[in-house]
Amino acid sequence: MLPVTPLRVHNHHDAAIVVGTEGGLIGLNKNGQVTDVLRPMSNPISSSVLLDGHLVAAWNLYGGESISSYMGLISTETLIHFGRIGEIGLESDANEEPEGATWWRKLEGTVESVGGAGSRFIFALSGLGIYSMDIEIHEKVASVNETWRVQYPIWTLSSGPEIRDRIASILVTDSGILIISEGGEWVLLSVQDGVELGRGFLDLRNPVNRAEYSIGLGTMIMTRGKEFVLMDNDLEIIEYVRKIPGPVLGAYADNEGWKWTGWRHDGSFKNGRVVIRMRPEIGIGMLGTDRCICNDGFIEKWNGYSSESEVV
């Protein structure tokens, strides 16, 4: 059983970094054993993305009339390859730098989402702008430089009056930087300079929760309801899937197709067919290709196709 309640899972080859609901970070090796634990700040981690060698994390702080955020880089070597078991109580004060960060900054505003790939990460400050940053490492010292910034997107469409539109996910794709709002609108920006290349709208009945990108399969957009949508690399709709038992919370792409885990079920999409198998737990994310990290802190076998599976 993990020493934190899982919120998000970032796969790292056969290993993983787990983000806890109260701000703890856990490194897991390919066998599901805890390699290290760390709580960088006393606040929960609001957004995070795993790049080559670093986890980029954001913490939103709310105090009085002021709203500010911290962003930091934490080396994956600290959590996965270091090999010691730390104490989950290790944390820094809210007014100090995040514990274990090789780089950090305090920002004015609320970080809505963070995305990235390779040595580049992109983040959005609510209502203020989109920022593209490059990471450089010299003798294990990290430096981060801004490459461009653009205005915060103006959302022109909405799935319904109950949805307050904000950015749900930022992905770096082969087509460009894909920004998806909770209301289902998307904007594609140029990787080079942030110029808008296109935009569109998803016909969804529920707010977007998050999204995953695969260079071979395209994009899987997960909602807070019983549906998700698949898009190809040209941002054309592959399929709307609206008959799943509950929200998809973690997805993994391999050579065969999409695999996922979520609200009391596991599922897969292969060759145009959706296969569902129920599970008693809530799957938060995948560990490798055949295991799930569940909300109760246990690691269970991913339930693939069997005689009990349901094709929808």
Side-chain angles (χ1 to χ4, degrees):
M1 183 176 178
L2 301 180
V4 302
T5 301
L7 174 65
R8 272 188 306 278
V9 179
H10 296 288
N11 269 287
H12 182 72
H13 305 300
D14 290 331
I17 294 176
V18 180
V19 179
T21 56
E22 296 184 358
L25 293 172
I26 299 177
L28 297 177
N29 64 19
K30 63 181 180 181
N31 298 317
Q33 298 171 321
V34 176
T35 55
D36 199 8
V37 294
L38 178 70
R39 189 173 180 184
M41 299 193 75
S42 57
N43 291 66
I45 295 173
S46 57
S47 303
S48 56
V49 64
L50 186 62
L51 306 181
D52 291 346
H54 283 87
L55 180 77
V56 181
W59 297 262
N60 290 329
L61 311 177
Y62 302 93
E65 297 181 356
S66 64
I67 299 176
S68 59
S69 302
Y70 278 84
M71 295 196 73
L73 302 182
I74 298 174
S75 171
T76 55
E77 291 184 0
T78 301
L79 290 163
I80 293 178
H81 304 301
F82 194 61
R84 67 175 176 86
I85 304 299
E87 295 291 335
I88 197 64
L90 184 63
E91 61 184 55
S92 68
D93 184 79
N95 294 317
E96 299 177 357
E97 65 185 75
E99 180 72 32
T102 58
W103 171 91
W104 67 276
R105 287 292 184 275
K106 186 176 182 180
L107 308 171
E108 295 303 320
T110 301
V111 176
E112 283 190 352
S113 185
V114 180
S119 62
R120 176 194 300 266
F121 68 93
I122 297 95
F123 68 94
L125 286 177
S126 182
L128 297 176
I130 309 295
Y131 305 81
S132 175
M133 317 294 288
D134 274 344
I135 303 171
E136 295 183 3
I137 307 295
H138 297 289
E139 297 180 353
K140 296 187 177 181
V141 176
S143 62
V144 176
N145 300 298
E146 180 182 313
T147 55
W148 52 259
R149 66 173 70 182
V150 295
Q151 291 185 341
Y152 188 88
I154 298 175
W155 304 117
T156 59
L157 301 168
S158 176
S159 289
E162 72 281 2
I163 297 177
R164 174 186 171 273
D165 227 353
R166 60 193 299 275
I167 294 173
S169 192
I170 299 174
L171 303 172
V172 177
T173 75
D174 269 8
S175 301
I177 296 169
L178 182 61
I179 300 176
I180 307 169
S181 79
E182 287 189 358
E185 191 167 0
W186 59 262
V187 174
L188 187 69
L189 304 181
S190 165
V191 173
Q192 286 72 31
D193 53 18
V195 171
E196 184 174 320
L197 302 176
R199 64 169 57 218
F201 183 69
L202 304 170
D203 181 19
L204 296 170
R205 304 167 186 172
N206 300 276
V208 174
N209 182 29
R210 55 179 301 220
E212 290 284 348
Y213 174 71
S214 163
I215 192 170
L217 299 175
T219 303
M220 181 177 188
I221 301 163
M222 298 159 262
T223 74
R224 300 186 187 276
K226 300 180 179 181
E227 63 176 338
F228 66 84
V229 60
L230 299 174
M231 302 171 71
D232 64 19
N233 282 316
D234 295 322
L235 302 180
E236 298 293 332
I237 301 297
I238 297 174
E239 187 159 347
Y240 286 100
V241 179
R242 305 189 192 272
K243 296 182 179 180
I244 56 176
V248 175
L249 300 176
Y252 182 92
D254 61 18
N255 294 330
E256 296 183 346
W258 288 103
K259 296 178 178 178
W260 68 83
T261 188
W263 185 269
R264 305 197 188 284
H265 79 285
D266 294 335
S268 64
F269 183 88
K270 178 183 176 183
N271 297 326
R273 186 176 71 165
V274 178
V275 178
I276 299 293
R277 186 174 183 187
M278 304 303 293
R279 65 158 54 251
E281 311 87 4
I282 298 171
I284 300 298
M286 303 282 291
L287 176 60
T289 61
D290 59 357
R291 282 176 292 176
C292 298
I293 298 172
C294 300
N295 68 317
D296 57 8
F298 285 95
I299 299 174
E300 306 286 349
K301 182 176 176 59
W302 179 79
N303 291 325
Y305 184 81
S306 74
S307 59
E308 300 176 6
S309 300
E310 178 185 359
V311 179
V312 298

